[in-house]
Amino acid sequence: MKVVGAGFGRTGTLSLKEALEQLGVGPCYHMTEVMATPRHKQVWRQAAAGLPVDWDELFAGYRSTVDWPGARFWRELVRAYPDAKVILSVRDPDRWYESVRETIYGMSGAFAAFAGLLYPPARGMHALTGDVIWHGTFFGRFADKEYALGVYRRHNDEVRAEVPSDRLLVFEVREGWEPLCAFLGVPVPDVPFPHVNDRESMNERVRGVKRGLVAVGAGALALTVGAMLLGRRVSGRGRRSGRR
């Protein structure tokens, strides 16, 4: 493990993941990896419950981690990998809150549970994000903006206070390659810094998922109703045949 990302989700973490991988510090672990690796969901829930985790086994094959769920356990990871550099990705607190509220928080709750029924890779994500983020980090009070902003600010302050300055980079993705490359001691690539997963693109994906789930749900409901009606019709024919 070369880089531990301590920044909360929606602070440009997917762009940072892409940047680290372009700089040769990958593969980089991100929440997207959890959905692709179902067995990891239970491991993260165990970590949220305070049970021991074999970090080397969990991160086998990865050279960096950013975003939740790793950011929830930044202290454990900083201790487990004493030679790893630490990147605290940040953004304006109000813009961060609005971004989370309109994207990943909007997909939590009943919608996330329903998604797991229809889309197998999403199964378990509702419980995982609840344990790690909405209850594990915000204690069920993310909807209270001032409380959530307090959690965000305290988290960033604690990372700044506890990680030695020569090991820490406080980074905004709008700063681009230069501070990141200087921190990692690598040349600046001759390509634009990746900017992916902004709020509008994320919202469009959310809308697309919702449309797809509604269509699948409607189709499943239509098939269920059709089967019920057909069953009643066949049953009615059987009763009439018996009376003859």
Side-chain angles (χ1 to χ4, degrees), residues 18 22 46 48 80 103 147 153 155 167 169 174 194 224 230:
E18 295 286 336
Q22 288 188 37
Q46 290 173 357
T103 57
Y147 179 84
R153 292 188 177 103
H155 170 84
R167 191 182 173 190
L169 173 66
R174 61 184 177 84
T224 301
L230 179 60

Side-chain angles (χ1 to χ4, degrees), residues 6-231:
F8 280 176
R10 304 309 298 165
T11 58
T13 50
L14 192 57
S15 296
L16 180 56
K17 166 184 164 68
E18 295 286 336
L20 290 172
E21 291 179 340
Q22 288 188 37
L23 294 175
V25 196
C28 180
Y29 198 97
H30 180 277
M31 182 66 86
T32 54
E33 305 293 312
V34 181
M35 188 174 292
T37 315
R39 65 183 178 84
H40 285 193
K41 296 169 189 172
Q42 188 58 40
V43 176
W44 287 113
R45 294 191 69 193
Q46 290 173 357
L51 299 176
V53 171
D54 185 333
W55 298 114
D56 287 340
E57 180 181 352
L58 178 65
F59 288 119
Y62 293 93
R63 302 185 69 207
S64 54
T65 176
V66 298
D67 197 66
W68 285 310
R72 165 69 174 76
F73 304 95
W74 67 273
R75 284 189 178 91
E76 292 87 339
L77 297 179
V78 166
R79 287 195 297 268
Y81 300 105
D83 295 327
K85 293 180 178 291
V86 181
I87 299 177
L88 175 63
S89 51
V90 297
R91 67 185 298 186
D92 173 79
D94 287 305
R95 294 186 66 185
W96 165 81
Y97 180 81
E98 295 303 322
S99 178
V100 175
R101 183 175 62 83
E102 293 181 12
T103 57
I104 56 177
Y105 184 67
M107 291 187 69
S108 63
F111 172 74
F114 178 65
L117 295 175
L118 301 177
Y119 182 55
R123 290 173 186 166
M125 292 300 293
H126 173 56
L128 166 67
T129 56
D131 288 353
V132 172
I133 305 173
W134 311 124
H135 297 290
T137 300
F138 298 101
F139 299 96
R141 296 181 60 185
F142 181 82
D144 180 342
K145 180 177 179 179
E146 291 308 312
Y147 179 84
L149 286 174
V151 171
Y152 174 75
R153 292 188 177 103
R154 282 193 300 275
H155 170 84
N156 292 344
D157 288 345
E158 289 168 1
V159 174
R160 289 185 178 100
E162 297 179 31
V163 179
S165 59
D166 61 345
R167 191 182 173 190
L168 174 66
L169 173 66
V170 180
F171 180 67
E172 293 190 48
V173 292
R174 61 184 177 84
E175 297 177 273
W177 288 119
E178 283 73 15
L180 181 61
C181 292
F183 179 64
L184 296 176
V186 297
V188 175
D190 189 23
V191 294
F193 188 89
H195 289 284
V196 296
N197 209 33
D198 58 36
R199 189 190 307 183
E200 183 50 40
S201 64
M202 179 68 169
N203 282 337
E204 182 54 36
R205 281 195 291 275
V206 170
R207 289 190 290 268
V209 170
K210 287 182 176 180
R211 287 193 296 267
L213 289 175
V214 168
V216 171
L221 178 61
L223 288 173
T224 301
V225 172
M228 291 173 62
L229 293 175
L230 179 60

